[in-house]
Amino acid sequence: MYSPPHAGDSDSEGSLLLSDVSVSPPRGRSQPPPPPPKPRPSPKHTATAKSKSKPKPKPKAKPKPVASAGTAAAPPPPLPSAALSDPHGLASRIAAAPALVAATSTVSSSSFRRLVQSRNPSFDPVAAFSAPAPAPTPTPAPVPTPTEIPTAAAAQCPAPDAPPRARPKRVHPNSVSEVPPAVAEAEQPKRPRGSGEGNFVRLNINGYGRKRTFRNAKARRPTKYRSWRRQGAGGVKPQGYGDEEGDFVAEALMEREKKGEVGDAGVLKAVEAAREDPSEQNLESLLRLAYGYDSFRKGQLEAIQKVVAAESTMLVLPTGAGKSLCYQIPAMILPGLTLVVSPLLSLMVDQLRKLPAFLPGGLLASNQTSDEFHETLQRLRGGDIKVLFVSPERFLNEEFLLIFRDALPISLVAIDEAHCISEWSHNFRPSYLRLRASLLRRKLNVQCILAMTATATTQTLEEIVNALEIPSNNLIKTSQIRDNLQLSISTSDNRLKDLLLLLKSSPFVDMKSIIVYCKFQGETDYVSKCLCDNNISAKSYHSGLPMKNRSRVQELFCSNKIRVVVATVAFGMGLDKSDVEGVIHYSLPESLEEYVQETGRAGRDGRLSHCHLLLDSTTFYKIRSLSHSDGVDEYAISKFLYQVFSCENSTGSICSLVKESTSRKFDIKEEVLLTVLTQLEIGGQQYLRLLPQFSVTCTLYFHKTSPQLLADKDVLVRSVLNKSETKDGNFVFDMTKIANDLDITVNEVIDHLQQLKFSGEISFELKDPAYCYVILKKPDGLNTLSANITKWVSEVESSKITKLDAMFALANFAVKGCQRTDGCSGSQHTQCIQKKIMEYFSKNEATSDNDYCAQPHKSSPFLQADIKVFLQSNSFAKFTPRAVARIMHGISSPGFPSATWSKNHFWGRYVEVDFPVVMEAAKAELVKLVGKGA
Ligand SMILES: Nc1ncnc2c1ncn2[C@@H]1O[C@H](COP(=O)(O)OP(=O)(O)OP(=O)(O)O)[C@@H](O)[C@H]1O
């Protein structure tokens, strides 16, 4: 459900679960005798990826200059300094999307259409339903015996090109079905045609759904798409998207479009029956007909029944346990629209692909043009969309919220990756803060909310349940760890060497799909290159790569053409590859939530799979340092608030803060600025209303009529001439000034400029992406507000550190403290890790086991002297204690970027000394300097 907005490497997601969910016992423990194993086709890979890989695509010509939000990727290899600057690549992860809407199949839910029609009598729906072919289903399978993970010392390297051994087919541990594979295969109904991944809903990326009206059918989609992209406001591509990203989305949608288009009259009958009586029997029959599955997995039926009864529900199921079904089936049954809030464009596209054929879907993400938005709206109003995926940022758009008030009934809001709502989760997203029951009721008239997550501590759950007002007895939670995963940990002084040994030894040597997780982008490139050099077919994946390359890697991995993906946390969300057999953590995950989610990408097919963690304290210290990168000082927050509410920003008018320069000025990361602004909107007192983000600096070029003559005819041009400066003969102005002058929205200003552009009168360029807002009330005193906000941000920072410490303590306990009883042996620690994880998730607050957590040093003999030398030799710069401590810890910040400061001799020198200790030392030195200066 995350990353990540501009997507970064840190949005991880989903996780898995536990032993109590499983009906079929895990492989390798006390299993029933396995049915005759079906050999897997032997892999065709091993060291072939390199030679087969296509030549790099030529870089595309970029559209005209629009300032981007500064999402520079960390440079490749040598990892250290620069790679540390954006370990998550957050900036580029959560890319806003063009409006994408699936044209419906003709088989849309008839009652929904009737309902929409009753509110839009002018609409004339097509009501055709066609019958699909039945289809097959997954089958249960046997389990091999767990194998000990080799340590570097013990591992025997087989021939590098030894082919992986075939494994028997798997069964999902959570599958309720006990039917033996052969029987299951024979008896299970076939899936309706088009219900497989990538089928059903015909998509038109512009949301028009008028596939057959285009004359140039061959070139239509890409051409249309690209021209749409170029026609973004100001003739530039929408911010947040590269051409590659656009292409990726368009390709995904075209692929969908090519596939199935039919529904099933049988399914419709089953829907009607379930609507009349949502009994277990009726819902199971619908499940069988619609998906070809035998029975519900644990938690699914209960969740579906609650949602169908319009009861808000909190659902915690492990990664791959089938949460999507819990909103898809209600979406078929409920009369109105189902709105699914999802944190990542790629995740939305993936979920859209997976909708069954008869469930027409659509997608709206932020940063679409107004035309795009309205066309999508039209399809919504026509009842052609039954499930609409939206990014949380959409809720900033009043126009978006308004459309649902009168004409469009929403039956259900499903919030995917609901843990992003909580700042105590491992993956907090400011834009999720806005998702409150009160807002959803008030603005969307929604009564039923389904919150879904795979990993949430008790504290996080409490926060979600409170925000969404979910009754306490509507919490459906199974344990968060799947029991078909064999978990092992070993310490490592040379991780690369140990990784190579692992990959060349049993059981990993036999696996055809492995994910290796690293912390830093540069690290993934470096490690994957080393693997290739050692005849292991591998590719790297991180958010610094163009979207096209990323999707290519994912595609190659999913089709088993590469064996190993070496990735940051950016890889895996929404990845529904069931036969990933191994996950290796080359770097320590930042939290147990992240560990559970990432290991959960293995063994989704229910077969025994292996997860190994290479533990080293150097990485732990590095990551711990980085946990301080979001920290703020009260002084900086206070100055920032002063600017937000400055005198020239009057109540009721549109104000803006250019993201990059504001972030640099206050040395506060952009995400933190957004979090603070969101707090000002949804905290106890509402001080402002956030608007969608725009690029606010516009340069206007006149082409036909002279500026003055055009100003005589056009009121907006007149305002521009009054409010702009001239630079090189062109007019440069702030969009919000024009909007305020004319009392219109920034969107309307852009629309008007666009019209003038189409008429050939002007062209324009936009730059400086900014946070936009309207002040509703100025705070009485900024001091208390700054103190409260700073305290809150600091608590969030501490919580991150505690989570990391808990992860490290668990791993350290396994290698140093585990007595290797109760099933643990050698480096295999499944039992003790599972136990600790369950304890962690059941506690009210994240805590770490201090006996096993390496504590950073509380002092250092040379620290003070080094800081003194540093300050003296850099007297040109203006430092705060936090800025000095960040440099000593090797943490890049907006005001002191690694590109400049990583060359400094002291960069990252005190990573192992506690950050607050370094800050204190820096403060003492700075005070001395000020004293001398005075
Ligand atoms: N009752 C069921 N029987 C068999 N397969 C099922 C069942 N329900 C879901 N599945 C399959 O399980 C797979 C995972 O489902 P889904 O993607 O919904 O999981 P998820 O819980 O959302 O995972 P994640 O947290 O990774 O997003 C899908 O391929 C889905 O079709």
Side-chain angles (χ1 to χ4, degrees):
M1 8 237 78
Y2 168 249
S3 291
H6 293 199
D9 283 355
S10 76
D11 34 65
S12 55
E13 147 18 61
S15 79
L16 35 132
L17 42 134
L18 45 70
S19 38
D20 60 317
V21 172
S22 176
V23 172
S24 51
R27 248 46 66 66
R29 294 213 276 275
S30 54
Q31 313 89 351
K38 256 191 177 180
R40 282 174 193 266
S42 55
K44 297 171 194 149
H45 52 271
T46 318
T48 53
K50 206 175 169 187
S51 52
K52 283 187 184 175
S53 64
K54 288 194 175 173
K56 274 193 177 178
K58 277 187 190 169
K60 290 188 180 170
K62 296 260 177 204
K64 283 234 171 180
V66 172
S68 83
T71 56
L79 344 161
S81 54
L84 287 173
S85 66
D86 183 14
H88 299 298
L90 255 186
S92 59
R93 284 251 337 264
I94 300 183
L100 310 164
V101 172
T104 71
S105 84
T106 49
V107 192
S108 101
S109 160
S110 54
S111 58
F112 177 59
R113 278 170 171 258
R114 279 198 296 275
L115 186 69
V116 172
Q117 244 190 307
S118 68
R119 300 180 187 220
N120 300 279
S122 58
F123 173 64
D124 177 23
V126 183
F129 295 83
S130 50
T137 317
T139 49
V143 195
T145 314
T147 324
E148 172 66 13
I149 301 290
T151 57
Q156 296 280 315
C157 297
D161 52 353
R165 273 176 252 147
R167 298 203 307 164
K169 205 169 183 198
R170 299 176 172 212
V171 63
H172 196 289
N174 304 322
S175 171
V176 183
S177 167
E178 295 275 37
V179 188
V183 181
E185 219 157 284
E187 288 182 0
Q188 280 167 4
K190 295 207 166 185
R191 274 196 209 198
R193 194 181 136 220
S195 63
E197 188 174 308
N199 286 351
F200 31 75
V201 184
R202 279 171 300 142
L203 280 182
N204 175 324
I205 50 94
N206 278 333
Y208 311 150
R210 292 190 299 245
K211 183 181 178 188
R212 286 167 191 88
T213 64
F214 285 85
R215 295 209 175 128
N216 181 1
K218 263 190 198 164
R220 178 184 59 84
R221 206 60 59 174
T223 308
K224 176 92 185 151
Y225 181 73
R226 290 192 183 114
S227 61
W228 172 82
R229 306 254 320 132
R230 286 190 201 108
Q231 282 169 20
V236 294
K237 67 183 178 189
Q239 162 209 336
Y241 284 96
D243 277 353
E244 298 90 345
E245 287 164 320
D247 287 351
F248 160 73
V249 175
E251 272 164 30
L253 300 177
M254 281 191 288
E255 178 207 326
R256 242 181 98 69
E257 193 178 88
K258 274 190 239 148
K259 298 191 181 176
E261 33 186 66
V262 288
D264 182 2
V267 175
L268 280 168
K269 268 195 196 154
V271 169
E272 289 300 334
R275 189 174 292 149
E276 294 272 300
D277 173 17
S279 62
E280 180 171 350
Q281 199 190 359
N282 284 345
L283 289 170
E284 263 187 6
S285 141
L286 176 56
L287 176 77
R288 257 193 304 275
L289 285 163
Y291 296 88
Y293 298 143
D294 251 0
S295 49
F296 287 108
R297 289 177 179 164
K298 189 161 182 177
Q300 286 182 325
L301 178 67
E302 199 187 345
I304 292 167
Q305 285 181 321
K306 283 200 185 295
V307 170
V308 169
E311 290 183 41
S312 289
T313 303
M314 173 83 235
L315 179 64
V316 189
L317 294 184
T319 308
K323 291 183 283 298
S324 323
L325 214 85
C326 302
Y327 66 78
Q328 288 176 6
I329 290 188
M332 295 176 204
I333 296 172
L334 295 169
L337 182 77
T338 291
L339 205 62
V340 183
V341 185
S342 197
L344 272 183
L345 174 65
S346 57
L347 198 57
M348 284 190 254
V349 171
D350 208 63
Q351 287 168 329
L352 184 59
R353 276 182 179 153
K354 287 196 263 179
L355 286 180
F358 38 82
L359 202 52
L363 194 159
L364 282 177
S366 48
N367 288 23
Q368 64 184 130
T369 63
S370 134
D371 276 0
E372 185 61 39
F373 175 72
H374 287 106
E375 302 222 34
T376 304
L377 204 65
Q378 234 175 356
R379 290 201 54 77
L380 276 168
R381 291 210 169 110
D384 282 346
I385 292 173
K386 193 72 174 73
V387 179
L388 179 69
F389 294 93
V390 292
S391 61
E393 287 77 17
R394 268 281 140 203
F395 290 80
L396 280 174
N397 189 318
E398 279 294 311
E399 211 183 342
F400 168 76
L401 295 172
L402 274 178
I403 60 174
F404 298 102
R405 191 176 276 175
D406 313 314
L408 216 54
I410 297 178
S411 290
L412 169 67
V413 171
I415 302 178
D416 203 2
E417 311 295 342
H419 57 264
C420 297
I421 286 179
S422 167
E423 64 269 37
W424 312 120
S425 77
H426 61 296
N427 206 1
F428 164 62
R429 289 273 306 275
S431 50
Y432 262 72
L433 274 179
R434 196 165 288 95
L435 302 174
R436 324 253 108 193
S438 49
L439 178 137
L440 296 173
R441 282 212 190 95
R442 197 173 64 244
K443 304 265 183 182
L444 301 178
N445 200 16
V446 169
Q447 297 312 318
C448 184
I449 301 169
L450 171 66
M452 301 176 293
T453 180
T455 41
T457 57
T458 308
Q459 189 185 22
T460 301
L461 278 182
E462 245 173 50
E463 209 173 344
I464 303 171
V465 160
N466 286 340
L468 300 176
E469 296 174 21
I470 295 172
S472 55
N473 52 347
N474 282 2
L475 168 63
I476 300 169
K477 183 180 173 193
T478 62
S479 87
Q480 312 191 25
I481 314 162
R482 268 201 261 116
D483 57 2
N484 65 324
L485 302 178
Q486 195 180 58
L487 309 170
S488 55
I489 301 181
S490 60
T491 45
S492 176
D493 291 333
N494 184 339
R495 288 181 296 151
L496 194 55
K497 187 172 150 221
D498 288 345
L499 175 67
L500 283 165
L501 280 169
L502 268 180
L503 290 171
K504 293 185 171 189
S505 313
S506 178
F508 290 97
V509 70
D510 296 331
M511 297 176 186
K512 65 180 180 189
S513 279
I514 300 169
I515 305 174
V516 174
Y517 278 110
C518 298
K519 175 70 191 164
F520 306 110
Q521 295 182 350
E523 205 170 39
T524 63
D525 296 331
Y526 172 72
V527 170
S528 86
K529 184 176 176 305
C530 292
L531 296 188
C532 289
D533 291 347
N534 281 275
N535 293 326
I536 296 168
S537 77
K539 289 245 180 254
S540 62
Y541 182 108
H542 56 77
S543 61
L545 294 172
M547 183 58 117
K548 204 166 182 175
N549 296 16
R550 277 187 269 163
S551 58
R552 178 84 185 129
V553 172
Q554 181 157 334
E555 218 175 275
L556 289 171
F557 185 61
C558 288
S559 54
N560 293 328
K561 292 197 176 106
I562 42 172
R563 183 174 160 222
V564 181
V565 168
V566 186
T568 59
V569 66
F571 186 68
M573 197 185 279
L575 178 78
D576 193 17
K577 177 168 167 57
S578 61
D579 59 353
V580 175
E581 295 161 280
V583 166
I584 298 175
H585 277 100
Y586 185 80
S587 310
L588 187 74
E590 285 183 27
S591 62
L592 279 164
E593 287 95 322
E594 198 174 298
Y595 177 71
V596 166
Q597 285 178 338
E598 289 173 352
T599 50
R601 293 191 180 122
R604 283 167 78 104
D605 57 4
R607 295 176 61 203
L608 180 82
S609 300
H610 297 265
C611 305
H612 190 81
L613 188 150
L614 294 168
L615 178 68
D616 76 314
S617 48
T618 312
T619 309
F620 165 68
Y621 285 122
K622 264 192 207 164
I623 302 173
R624 206 173 191 279
S625 277
L626 287 170
S627 308
H628 291 283
S629 57
D630 287 352
V632 289
D633 295 315
E634 191 175 332
Y635 166 73
I637 289 287
S638 158
K639 279 201 319 183
F640 172 63
L641 292 185
Y642 187 78
Q643 175 155 341
V644 170
F645 297 107
S646 69
C647 315
E648 59 194 56
N649 292 340
S650 57
T651 310
S653 60
I654 301 170
C655 313
S656 65
L657 293 166
V658 173
K659 291 183 350 180
E660 201 186 336
S661 54
T662 310
S663 168
R664 215 174 331 108
K665 177 172 172 190
F666 299 107
D667 199 17
I668 301 177
K669 280 164 71 176
E670 287 179 16
E671 304 93 275
V672 179
L673 292 181
L674 179 60
T675 306
V676 172
L677 288 170
T678 311
Q679 273 298 333
L680 295 173
E681 182 184 23
I682 58 136
Q685 168 77 57
Q686 186 176 5
Y687 294 108
L688 49 83
R689 184 161 59 81
L690 276 174
L691 303 173
Q693 295 170 22
F694 291 101
S695 294
V696 287
T697 308
C698 182
T699 308
L700 196 63
Y701 310 92
F702 289 87
H703 298 305
K704 273 192 196 164
T705 318
S706 77
Q708 275 67 30
L709 277 181
L710 196 58
D712 289 344
K713 288 190 269 177
D714 191 304
V715 68
L716 190 135
V717 175
R718 199 177 316 140
S719 172
V720 167
L721 295 198
N722 287 337
K723 303 273 172 199
S724 55
E725 295 168 23
T726 40
K727 274 191 192 157
D728 302 328
N730 299 310
F731 293 83
V732 181
F733 59 94
D734 183 332
M735 301 282 281
T736 59
K737 284 195 178 145
I738 307 301
N740 286 331
D741 188 33
L742 301 177
D743 201 15
I744 57 177
T745 65
V746 178
N747 233 342
E748 286 166 326
V749 176
I750 295 175
D751 282 353
H752 191 91
L753 291 175
Q754 196 75 335
Q755 280 167 20
L756 288 173
K757 186 183 160 205
F758 288 146
S759 67
E761 287 289 359
I762 61 155
S763 61
F764 62 98
E765 281 173 10
L766 291 173
K767 63 174 187 177
D768 296 338
Y771 298 117
C772 300
Y773 58 96
V774 174
I775 296 175
L776 302 179
K777 178 185 183 315
K778 293 207 177 185
D780 296 332
L782 285 184
N783 289 351
T784 323
L785 193 58
S786 332
N788 289 342
I789 288 179
T790 312
K791 183 166 171 271
W792 180 75
V793 176
S794 307
E795 281 168 4
V796 175
E797 184 189 357
S798 313
S799 141
K800 259 178 112 175
I801 292 166
T802 312
K803 281 181 189 298
L804 174 68
D805 285 352
M807 180 68 236
F808 183 81
L810 179 147
N812 213 19
F813 167 82
V815 292
K816 292 194 182 142
C818 175
Q819 299 300 307
R820 291 174 174 74
T821 52
D822 301 330
C824 299
S825 65
S827 61
Q828 187 274 113
H829 290 282
T830 312
Q831 298 301 326
C832 73
I833 295 173
Q834 282 188 349
K835 189 164 160 260
K836 293 260 176 199
I837 287 176
M838 282 196 244
E839 275 171 25
Y840 173 85
F841 281 110
S842 61
K843 277 188 197 149
N844 277 341
E845 257 178 65
T847 52
S848 68
D849 184 346
N850 285 338
D851 292 345
Y852 290 96
C853 186
Q855 291 302 328
H857 304 198
K858 294 291 175 197
S859 66
S860 164
F862 306 110
L863 176 64
Q864 203 79 37
D866 277 350
I867 290 178
K868 190 174 175 181
V869 174
F870 170 77
L871 290 175
Q872 282 169 352
S873 54
N874 294 284
S875 54
F876 57 91
K878 213 173 158 193
F879 292 108
T880 61
R882 185 174 295 276
V884 175
R886 278 180 178 153
I887 289 167
M888 297 285 156
H889 265 249
I891 307 171
S892 184
S893 72
F896 300 89
S898 65
T900 311
W901 291 91
S902 62
K903 293 163 205 139
N904 191 286
H905 175 67
F906 293 101
W907 179 261
R909 238 183 169 195
Y910 285 91
V911 157
E912 295 190 10
V913 179
D914 207 12
F915 190 85
V917 171
V918 185
M919 253 178 84
E920 272 309 310
K923 191 172 165 186
E925 279 311 310
L926 282 165
V927 167
K928 278 188 216 161
L929 277 184
V930 173
K932 275 184 196 160

